[in-house]
Amino acid sequence: MRQYQLYINGEFLSNANRKMIDVINPSTEEVISQIPAGTADDCDAAVKAAEAAQKSWAKLPAIQRANHLHEIANLIRQNAEPLARIISEEGGKVLGLSRVEVSFTADYMDYMAEFARRFEGEIVQSDRPNENILIYKLPIGVIAGILPWNFPFFLIARKMAPALVTGNTIVIKPSTETPNNAFEFAKLVAKSSLPKGVFNLVSGTGRTVGHALAAHPSVGMVSMTGSVPGGAAIMAAAAPNITKVSLELGGKAPAIVMPDADLDLAAKCIRNSRVLNTGQVCNSAERVYVHESIAKSFIAKVTEQMKNTRFGDPLTDDTLDMGPFVSRAQLESVEAAVAGALKEGATLTLGGKRAGTQKGFFYPATVLTNCRHDMTIMHEEIFGPVLPITTFKTLDDAIDLANDCEFGLTSSIYTNDINVVMRACKEIKFGETYVNRENFEAMQGFHAGFRKSGIGGADGKHGLNEYLQTHVVYIQYNDKIQ
């Protein structure tokens, strides 16, 4: 059985006398590896290593820092297939999506590296004679990156690449559900020319490792992707040191289907969004509001799309649409959500029952109709391939229903009316709105949410700026010098 080791200051540490955590293949329920249960002392060592390395790292020209990212991106591409299979093995993701995640991660490294010559300060006009006001953009210092289990490999790059190109160093904590890919990534870093201490990896529980990193006085920013309770815990741990936090948390994305929509397109895109990664994506369409005049036709089309969703062990068939849930707890959570919806009066139109008695945390694509907006399933995040559908009468109603939510990450609308599109873009209160397409962001955009979906954001130039702080310099000069 594979045993991984913490990676601190350019070295893999011995597992002697360490408590280990089992990692499960969710398709087979077999233990496939063990990872160290890191301690607060491990976190302190990693942060100190990152802090010591950051001073010299920040002094390098940004283009030299970028070259290290390009080097790691190339190493990822050289090991793409083994990395994809590891992601599928530990997380249950279909192989096609794992391959996309690996290639996208390498591309993201290159994309952020290209900002080396592009992030800028400013010269501001002064109210005084003989004065220049300079605004510098400087690195924050040590970044703690706390990763989720649903896109674990890509999230390494989403946190590491902008941090490093701007002169920060980083300590990464992977999820205990899907950590193996991060350790394989650390092996690539060890083969690269990246200076020691710039990248560090400490595995373990959120309660121990996550808290220790967030509470560490030498951490300048915590970038965390995960649940709302997890984000609240990170904020509480960071508060005594007034440490900056950047949080991407839950979502409950509404999809609005207008009477003039292309129903085939809407059904296909909503289905694709809902079953992606077995529905375990915070962006995915989580609740559908369809105009009452087309509800019957749309429900028939989207149910047929969901019915054709194939699932199974992704390592035995690379043509599947879905794999298993990441864990038994996730499976039981979705089962409870569906049972609750049925108890509140929803109609089970498709799926809704655990798939057979075979090993693995499998669950079919599920459609719930006759839902009411006040049902729990229309407000609480499902994180599974379950599609609750309700109807509306007017655009005003649809927008009000969409906005009546504690989350605010992504949203979508299907219509061919530009006036409806413009109103929706202005009035739907979510960080992202997708028009006539599935919910999936671009690296050059800005992935950020409103309300309980988070603080700050990622991607593009705005995401890069999360890793910079501002230093203003006022220079008074004497113009009388001969």
Side-chain angles (χ1 to χ4, degrees):
M1 182 188 302
R2 283 169 287 171
Q3 275 205 348
Y4 290 106
Q5 299 166 290
L6 304 184
Y7 185 70
I8 297 176
N9 201 29
E11 303 291 338
F12 288 101
L13 306 187
S14 169
N15 286 331
N17 301 317
R18 285 192 180 278
K19 181 180 178 182
M20 305 297 286
I21 299 171
D22 290 340
V23 179
I24 306 294
N25 178 332
S27 292
T28 64
E29 302 184 43
E30 297 173 348
V31 177
I32 53 175
S33 70
Q34 290 184 323
I35 62 168
T39 65
D41 286 343
D42 293 322
C43 294
D44 183 58
V47 171
K48 286 179 177 175
E51 187 177 30
Q54 195 269 330
K55 294 178 182 178
S56 57
W57 177 250
K59 288 180 180 179
L60 289 177
I63 193 63
Q64 291 186 27
R65 299 195 295 264
N67 288 339
H68 288 285
L69 292 178
H70 287 309
E71 179 189 9
I72 294 170
N74 288 333
L75 287 169
I76 290 171
R77 293 187 181 100
Q78 292 166 20
N79 294 273
E81 186 62 16
L83 288 168
R85 297 189 73 84
I86 284 169
I87 293 168
S88 291
E89 179 189 41
E90 63 181 338
K93 188 171 296 180
V94 296
L95 265 172
L97 184 57
S98 293
R99 288 168 179 145
V100 169
E101 182 172 354
V102 172
S103 64
F104 194 83
T105 299
D107 291 348
Y108 196 92
M109 287 280 193
D110 284 335
Y111 169 74
M112 281 296 173
E114 289 161 5
F115 274 102
R117 293 190 175 102
R118 293 185 175 92
F119 70 93
E120 302 168 341
E122 300 175 50
I123 300 174
V124 179
Q125 296 299 319
S126 175
D127 294 340
R128 295 185 177 191
N130 303 331
E131 183 178 67
N132 289 332
I133 302 175
L134 310 181
I135 298 181
Y136 288 87
K137 291 292 186 177
L138 302 176
I140 293 171
V142 177
I143 307 298
I146 299 177
L147 309 184
W149 46 258
N150 58 345
F151 284 91
F153 195 68
F154 167 57
L155 265 292
I156 299 173
R158 186 178 248 176
K159 299 183 188 305
M160 173 185 171
L164 266 57
V165 76
T166 50
N168 303 282
T169 53
I170 197 164
V171 180
I172 288 287
K173 188 202 96 64
S175 165
T176 54
E177 304 281 7
T178 55
N180 294 354
N181 67 90
F183 285 100
E184 296 296 333
F185 178 85
K187 292 178 182 179
L188 300 183
V189 170
K191 292 179 181 178
S192 77
S193 60
L194 191 73
K196 290 184 177 182
V198 173
F199 171 87
N200 305 272
L201 181 67
V202 180
S203 58
T205 65
R207 186 166 298 183
T208 298
V209 175
H211 180 274
L213 291 174
H216 201 290
S218 295
V219 168
M221 184 177 85
V222 184
S223 177
M224 179 264 194
T225 302
S227 68
V228 172
I234 291 299
M235 291 182 74
N241 293 312
I242 320 296
T243 302
K244 179 180 178 180
V245 296
S246 180
L247 307 172
E248 185 206 330
L249 307 176
K252 190 67 180 175
I256 298 172
V257 185
M258 297 298 292
D260 68 324
D262 180 333
L263 296 190
D264 290 322
L265 174 69
K268 179 181 178 181
C269 290
I270 291 172
R271 176 266 185 190
N272 289 348
S273 176
R274 184 64 283 187
V275 306
L276 183 73
N277 198 24
T278 319
Q280 301 168 121
V281 185
C282 53
N283 305 32
S284 287
E286 278 256 350
R287 50 194 169 115
V288 178
Y289 300 94
V290 57
H291 193 272
E292 61 185 12
S293 67
I294 56 165
K296 184 177 180 180
S297 178
F298 170 78
I299 288 170
K301 289 177 181 293
V302 79
T303 300
E304 187 64 25
Q305 289 277 348
M306 295 284 277
K307 184 179 179 180
N308 292 329
T309 301
R310 298 172 58 245
F311 61 89
D313 184 343
L315 292 183
T316 63
D317 184 347
D318 65 0
T319 68
L320 298 169
D321 302 299
M322 297 194 310
F325 286 121
V326 73
S327 66
R328 183 176 299 279
Q330 188 62 28
L331 169 61
E332 292 173 350
S333 173
V334 172
E335 286 183 316
V338 172
L342 297 178
K343 187 175 181 180
E344 291 184 66
T347 299
L348 183 64
T349 302
L350 179 72
K353 294 182 180 179
R354 191 181 302 199
T357 58
Q358 78 272 30
K359 289 281 189 178
F361 310 129
F362 296 101
Y363 194 83
T366 297
V367 177
L368 296 170
T369 54
N370 295 321
C371 295
R372 301 185 313 276
H373 178 69
D374 62 356
M375 288 180 174
T376 302
I377 204 161
M378 299 297 285
H379 288 271
E380 293 184 1
E381 192 171 32
I382 308 168
F383 235 54
V386 178
L387 195 64
I389 304 173
T390 191
T391 61
F392 67 90
K393 294 180 182 296
T394 69
L395 177 60
D396 286 334
D397 292 338
I399 291 173
D400 288 344
L401 293 170
N403 288 338
D404 182 22
C405 179
E406 67 179 1
F407 298 107
L409 188 57
T410 70
S411 57
S412 62
I413 188 165
Y414 295 85
T415 179
N416 289 307
D417 188 334
I418 187 62
N419 298 297
V420 172
V421 171
M422 296 312 295
R423 272 201 63 193
C425 292
K426 192 171 185 178
E427 297 180 27
I428 295 176
K429 305 302 182 184
F430 285 74
E432 297 172 9
T433 298
Y434 298 91
V435 180
N436 295 330
R437 58 158 285 191
E438 78 287 352
N439 301 24
F440 206 83
E441 71 273 21
M443 66 177 71
Q444 64 270 35
F446 185 54
H447 186 57
F450 298 175
R451 299 183 289 279
K452 287 187 179 180
S453 284
I455 298 171
D459 307 336
K461 66 179 181 180
H462 300 290
L464 186 87
N465 282 329
E466 290 283 311
Y467 295 85
L468 292 165
Q469 57 188 344
T470 302
H471 181 200
V472 183
V473 177
Y474 298 85
I475 303 176
Q476 191 79 51
Y477 63 91
N478 183 351
D479 66 353
K480 304 300 183 183
I481 297 175
Q482 298 297 319

